[in-house]
Amino acid sequence: MSIITASQFDHLREMVLRESAIVLEPGKEYLVESRLAPIARREGLGSVSELVHKLMTSPSAKMTSEIIDAMTTNETSFFRDVHPWQTLKEEILPKLIESRRIDRRLSVWCAACSSGQEPYSLAMLLRDTFPDIVKSWDVTIIATDLSDSMLYRCREGVYSQLEVNRGLPAPMLVRNFQREGADWRIDPELRRMVDVRTCNLAVPNSYPRAASRFDLVFIRNVLIYFDEATKTKILNETSSRMQSDGYLLLGSSEVSISSATRLVRHQFGRTIYFQPS
Ligand SMILES: C[S@@+](CC[C@H](N)C(=O)[O-])C[C@H]1O[C@@H](n2cnc3c(N)ncnc32)[C@H](O)[C@@H]1O
């Protein structure tokens, strides 16, 4: 057995959709082959086809989770797209800080955080721009993902030279990271600002619970992997967990959302953001 068969591909597609809501379009067999080949090798199997055969005949929770993890796309970078971070600095965070000055509490959820560049970008931005708020307010950044390997990386907070070269200006790098061999480790204070947890966006019961509703939510560059009904469900579940004047940021290519969502679209500069209606 070598290349996966049509029925094996269908089995895998159904499993990935059921477990993660990720839609594997027909024709993505090559992607499946390249993503699952390392797992097949680790299992001592001769091919991906043998791996899928094993999954179909004697499935285990561990193998299912490893396959789902391998099928996630984890592309990310520090301060990705630049302009949303400018908008956070100039518009969103100042407004939130002004309206929360009595409660002195800021609650952020960074969903689908991948290896952590997004939540740590926010932690750096907050500490650099609003140091007094970070020191004296109750600031919580909950970072979640479905992928165990990405959650591990996010908890570690260690990045290669290539990764820090993507999006981090040199002064920011030396201010916020410590050298560790060839890599860079996030400053412990920033690490402590981020609470890393598992959450499958397809399963609302797994959404994080915060002390209060979220003031700011990031769901960036993940909705593209889901179908329209799933996107709408996720956005409605999310908006019900947000403060009525809270802010939601999506990926640049994800801002055309269904009118069935209870979200109102706003724009500041090049950044589109949403608020519960
Ligand atoms: C392309 S990355 C986006 C990372 C970051 N938000 C950014 O914009 O740079 C997509 C992330 O979504 C995660 N993901 C995929 N399906 C998910 C699901 N059902 N629930 C939660 N996270 C999921 C993947 O594990 C991956 O880390």
Side-chain angles (χ1 to χ4, degrees):
M1 283 198 281
S2 55
I3 305 295
I4 57 167
T5 64
S7 72
Q8 286 183 324
F9 182 64
D10 284 346
H11 180 85
L12 214 52
R13 278 175 62 187
E14 279 162 27
M15 191 271 270
V16 171
L17 184 66
R18 190 174 60 244
E19 299 287 332
S20 69
I22 295 172
V23 177
L24 280 178
E25 304 287 356
K28 288 282 170 90
E29 287 85 347
Y30 70 92
L31 182 79
V32 167
E33 289 277 344
S34 67
R35 296 272 180 93
L36 301 190
I39 304 179
R41 274 196 297 276
R42 266 203 313 275
E43 292 282 321
L45 301 169
S47 67
V48 170
S49 180
E50 283 179 39
L51 177 72
V52 182
H53 178 73
K54 192 169 171 186
L55 177 76
M56 290 168 83
T57 51
S58 52
S60 71
K62 179 172 169 283
M63 187 186 285
T64 303
S65 146
E66 279 178 2
I67 290 175
I68 297 295
D69 195 323
M71 292 316 302
T72 60
T73 300
N74 311 117
E75 164 67 16
T76 189
S77 56
F78 290 102
F79 299 102
R80 185 172 186 173
D81 298 336
V82 184
H83 68 85
W85 303 95
Q86 207 59 36
T87 298
L88 278 162
K89 187 174 168 178
E90 292 171 9
E91 170 77 1
I92 296 179
L93 290 170
K95 280 203 169 145
L96 277 175
I97 288 167
E98 170 59 22
S99 57
R100 303 319 190 240
R101 66 189 185 287
I102 308 287
D103 281 355
R104 299 162 72 83
R105 183 205 293 266
L106 214 50
S107 181
V108 184
W109 177 23
C110 185
C113 64
S114 188
S115 35
Q117 284 86 332
E118 196 169 68
Y120 291 129
S121 295
L122 179 68
M124 283 185 265
L125 176 68
L126 275 167
R127 191 172 71 168
D128 279 355
T129 319
F130 308 100
D132 295 343
I133 302 293
V134 169
K135 267 198 208 98
S136 57
W137 284 29
D138 177 4
V139 178
T140 319
I141 303 173
I142 299 179
T144 66
D145 203 281
L146 167 72
S147 153
D148 286 339
S149 60
M150 289 304 115
L151 290 169
Y152 175 81
R153 288 221 49 209
C154 190
R155 284 193 185 100
E156 280 293 286
V158 175
Y159 300 95
S160 69
Q161 187 68 52
L162 208 68
E163 287 171 322
V164 297
N165 283 350
R166 295 186 62 202
L168 268 182
M172 218 165 189
L173 172 63
V174 293
R175 200 164 55 242
N176 295 300
F177 290 78
Q178 289 148 11
R179 262 270 183 217
E180 195 168 282
D183 298 330
W184 294 87
R185 181 179 286 278
I186 191 84
D187 176 70
E189 188 183 65
L190 294 168
R191 171 64 194 86
R192 281 194 297 275
M193 285 173 69
V194 178
D195 176 359
V196 185
R197 305 188 198 170
T198 301
C199 163
N200 182 348
L201 285 167
V203 181
N205 275 346
S206 75
Y207 287 23
R209 283 174 228 284
S212 58
R213 287 168 179 248
F214 293 108
D215 299 301
L216 173 60
V217 179
F218 295 73
I219 310 185
R220 300 179 66 217
N221 305 299
V222 62
L223 296 178
I224 35 170
Y225 302 109
F226 306 143
D227 61 29
E228 283 308 315
T230 306
K231 285 183 206 179
T232 302
K233 184 172 162 215
I234 290 171
L235 292 173
N236 282 336
E237 289 288 348
T238 302
S239 70
S240 71
R241 288 162 173 80
M242 291 173 63
Q243 300 281 5
S244 56
D245 61 346
Y247 294 80
L248 170 68
L249 286 168
L250 305 178
S252 307
S253 63
E254 299 167 323
V255 292
S256 310
I257 60 172
S258 153
S259 56
T261 59
R262 298 183 285 270
L263 287 160
V264 180
R265 179 189 171 109
H266 301 273
Q267 183 156 8
F268 181 86
R270 288 177 57 204
T271 310
I272 310 284
Y273 64 84
F274 296 88
Q275 293 191 295
S277 51

